[in-house]
Coordinates of all heavy atoms in Angstrom, one line a residue:
Chain A
F189 N 37.8 -8.1 17.8 CA 36.6 -8.5 18.5 C 35.7 -7.4 18.7 O 36.0 -6.2 18.6 CB 37.0 -9.2 19.8 CG 37.5 -8.1 20.9 CD1 36.6 -7.7 21.8 CD2 38.8 -7.7 20.9 CE1 37.0 -6.7 22.8 CE2 39.2 -6.8 21.8 CZ 38.3 -6.3 22.8
G190 N 34.4 -7.7 19.1 CA 33.4 -6.7 19.3 C 32.8 -6.9 20.7 O 32.8 -8.0 21.2
I191 N 32.4 -5.7 21.2 CA 31.6 -5.7 22.5 C 30.3 -5.1 22.2 O 30.2 -4.0 21.6 CB 32.4 -4.9 23.6 CG1 33.8 -5.4 23.8 CG2 31.5 -5.0 24.9 CD1 34.6 -4.6 24.9
A192 N 29.3 -5.8 22.6 CA 27.9 -5.3 22.3 C 27.2 -4.9 23.5 O 27.5 -5.5 24.6 CB 27.1 -6.5 21.6
Q193 N 26.3 -4.0 23.4 CA 25.4 -3.6 24.5 C 24.1 -3.1 24.1 O 24.0 -2.4 23.1 CB 26.2 -2.5 25.3 CG 25.3 -1.9 26.4 CD 26.1 -1.2 27.5 OE1 25.8 -1.4 28.7 NE2 27.0 -0.3 27.1
I194 N 23.1 -3.4 24.8 CA 21.7 -2.9 24.6 C 21.3 -2.1 25.9 O 21.5 -2.7 27.0 CB 20.7 -4.0 24.3 CG1 21.0 -4.7 23.0 CG2 19.3 -3.4 24.3 CD1 20.1 -5.9 22.7
G195 N 20.9 -0.9 25.7 CA 20.4 -0.2 26.9 C 19.8 1.1 26.6 O 19.9 1.7 25.5
K196 N 19.3 1.7 27.7 CA 18.6 3.0 27.6 C 19.7 4.1 27.5 O 20.7 4.0 28.2 CB 17.8 3.2 28.9 CG 16.5 2.4 28.9 CD 15.4 3.0 28.0 CE 14.1 2.2 28.0 NZ 13.3 2.5 29.2
S197 N 19.3 5.1 26.8 CA 20.1 6.4 26.7 C 19.1 7.5 26.8 O 17.9 7.4 26.5 CB 20.9 6.4 25.4 OG 22.0 5.5 25.5
F198 N 19.7 8.7 27.1 CA 18.8 9.8 27.4 C 19.4 11.1 26.8 O 20.6 11.4 26.9 CB 18.7 10.1 28.9 CG 18.2 8.9 29.7 CD1 19.0 7.8 30.0 CD2 16.9 8.8 30.0 CE1 18.5 6.7 30.6 CE2 16.4 7.7 30.7 CZ 17.2 6.6 31.0
R199 N 18.6 11.8 26.0 CA 19.0 13.1 25.5 C 17.9 14.1 25.6 O 16.8 13.8 25.3 CB 19.4 12.9 24.0 CG 20.7 12.1 23.8 CD 21.1 12.0 22.4 NE 22.1 10.9 22.2 CZ 22.5 10.5 21.1 NH1 22.2 11.1 20.0 NH2 23.4 9.5 21.0
N200 N 18.3 15.3 26.0 CA 17.3 16.4 26.1 C 17.1 16.9 24.7 O 17.4 18.1 24.4 CB 17.7 17.5 27.0 CG 17.2 17.2 28.4 OD1 16.0 16.9 28.6 ND2 18.0 17.5 29.4
E201 N 16.5 16.1 23.8 CA 16.2 16.6 22.5 C 15.4 17.9 22.6 O 14.5 18.0 23.4 CB 15.4 15.6 21.7 CG 16.1 14.2 21.5 CD 17.3 14.3 20.5 OE1 17.4 15.3 19.9 OE2 18.1 13.3 20.5
I202 N 15.8 18.8 21.8 CA 15.1 20.1 21.8 C 13.7 19.9 21.3 O 12.7 20.5 21.7 CB 15.8 21.2 21.1 CG1 17.2 21.3 21.7 CG2 15.1 22.5 21.1 CD1 18.2 22.1 20.9
T203 N 13.6 19.1 20.3 CA 12.3 18.9 19.6 C 11.9 17.4 19.5 O 12.2 16.8 18.5 CB 12.3 19.4 18.2 OG1 13.3 20.5 18.2 CG2 11.0 19.9 17.8
P204 N 11.4 16.8 20.5 CA 10.9 15.4 20.3 C 9.8 15.4 19.3 O 9.0 16.3 19.2 CB 10.3 15.0 21.7 CG 10.6 16.1 22.6 CD 11.0 17.3 21.8
R205 N 9.9 14.5 18.4 CA 9.0 14.5 17.2 C 8.8 13.2 16.6 O 9.6 12.3 16.8 CB 9.6 15.5 16.2 CG 8.6 16.2 15.2 CD 7.5 16.9 15.9 NE 7.8 17.9 16.8 CZ 8.0 19.2 16.5 NH1 7.9 19.6 15.3 NH2 8.2 20.1 17.4
N206 N 7.7 13.1 15.8 CA 7.5 11.9 15.0 C 7.4 10.6 15.8 O 8.2 9.7 15.7 CB 8.6 11.8 14.0 CG 8.5 12.9 12.9 OD1 7.3 13.3 12.6 ND2 9.6 13.3 12.4
F207 N 6.4 10.6 16.8 CA 6.2 9.4 17.6 C 7.4 9.0 18.3 O 8.1 9.9 18.9 CB 5.6 8.3 16.6 CG 4.9 7.2 17.3 CD1 4.1 7.4 18.5 CD2 4.9 5.9 16.8 CE1 3.4 6.4 19.0 CE2 4.2 4.9 17.3 CZ 3.5 5.1 18.5
T208 N 7.8 7.7 18.3 CA 9.0 7.3 19.1 C 10.3 7.6 18.4 O 11.3 7.4 18.9 CB 8.9 5.8 19.4 OG1 8.9 5.1 18.1 CG2 7.7 5.4 20.2
F209 N 10.2 8.2 17.2 CA 11.4 8.3 16.4 C 12.5 9.2 17.1 O 13.6 8.8 17.2 CB 11.1 8.9 15.0 CG 12.4 9.1 14.1 CD1 12.9 8.0 13.5 CD2 13.0 10.3 14.0 CE1 14.0 8.1 12.7 CE2 14.2 10.4 13.2 CZ 14.7 9.3 12.6

Side-chain angles (χ1 to χ4, degrees):
Chain A
F189 72 96
I191 304 178
Q193 172 163 228
I194 296 177
K196 287 285 183 75
S197 292
F198 302 81
R199 292 182 196 174
N200 266 320
E201 299 290 349
I202 300 165
T203 332
R205 203 52 59 87
N206 292 328
F207 200 30
T208 59
F209 183 78

